[in-house]
Amino acid sequence: QWTPQSPSVDEGHVREELADVLTYCIMMADALGVDMDDIVMGKLAKTKSKYPAEAVRDDFEEYEHRHLNARKTDDDAQSSPSK
């Protein structure tokens, strides 16, 4: 929805929406005592391992394959009873 091809994107409105989301995220992290740098770096490391650039760059089918397999694994883990 935010691509340059989108019809008449109001940059001012987009900036305000981003500010709202970022403010909410900062407030939520603060309320939960979460270090934002730690969670962002952790997520980037996880993404790097799931989708290594050399494997998925310019290969949407490979990315999609890895993404669907990751979702299947996540769904299986969530549906399994905890021990």
Side-chain angles (χ1 to χ4, degrees), residues 46-83:
K46 183 177 179 180
T47 300
K48 182 179 180 180
S49 112
K50 285 170 64 175
Y51 310 105
E54 62 277 0
V56 300
R57 181 177 289 125
D58 299 324
D59 189 346
F60 181 74
E61 287 181 18
E62 178 63 22
Y63 167 82
E64 186 175 43
H65 172 76
R66 289 170 180 262
H67 178 70
L68 293 174
N69 282 343
R71 287 188 63 184
K72 182 176 187 263
T73 303
D74 291 344
D75 290 346
D76 290 346
Q78 289 177 5
S79 65
S80 298
S82 299
K83 293 183 181 180

Side-chain angles (χ1 to χ4, degrees), residues 5-78:
Q5 295 82 16
S6 296
S8 70
V9 172
D10 177 358
E11 185 178 336
H13 178 71
V14 171
R15 293 171 65 88
E16 288 179 8
E17 290 297 321
L18 282 169
D20 288 344
V21 171
L22 291 169
T23 301
Y24 180 80
C25 290
I26 292 166
M27 291 171 55
M28 184 176 175
D30 185 54
L32 297 172
V34 173
D35 184 299
M36 291 177 58
D37 289 336
D38 286 345
I39 63 172
V40 168
M41 296 308 292
K43 179 61 177 175
L44 288 173
K46 183 177 179 180
T47 300
K48 182 179 180 180
S49 112
K50 285 170 64 175
Y51 310 105
E54 62 277 0
V56 300
R57 181 177 289 125
D58 299 324
D59 189 346
F60 181 74
E61 287 181 18
E62 178 63 22
Y63 167 82
E64 186 175 43
H65 172 76
R66 289 170 180 262
H67 178 70
L68 293 174
N69 282 343
R71 287 188 63 184
K72 182 176 187 263
T73 303
D74 291 344
D75 290 346
D76 290 346
Q78 289 177 5

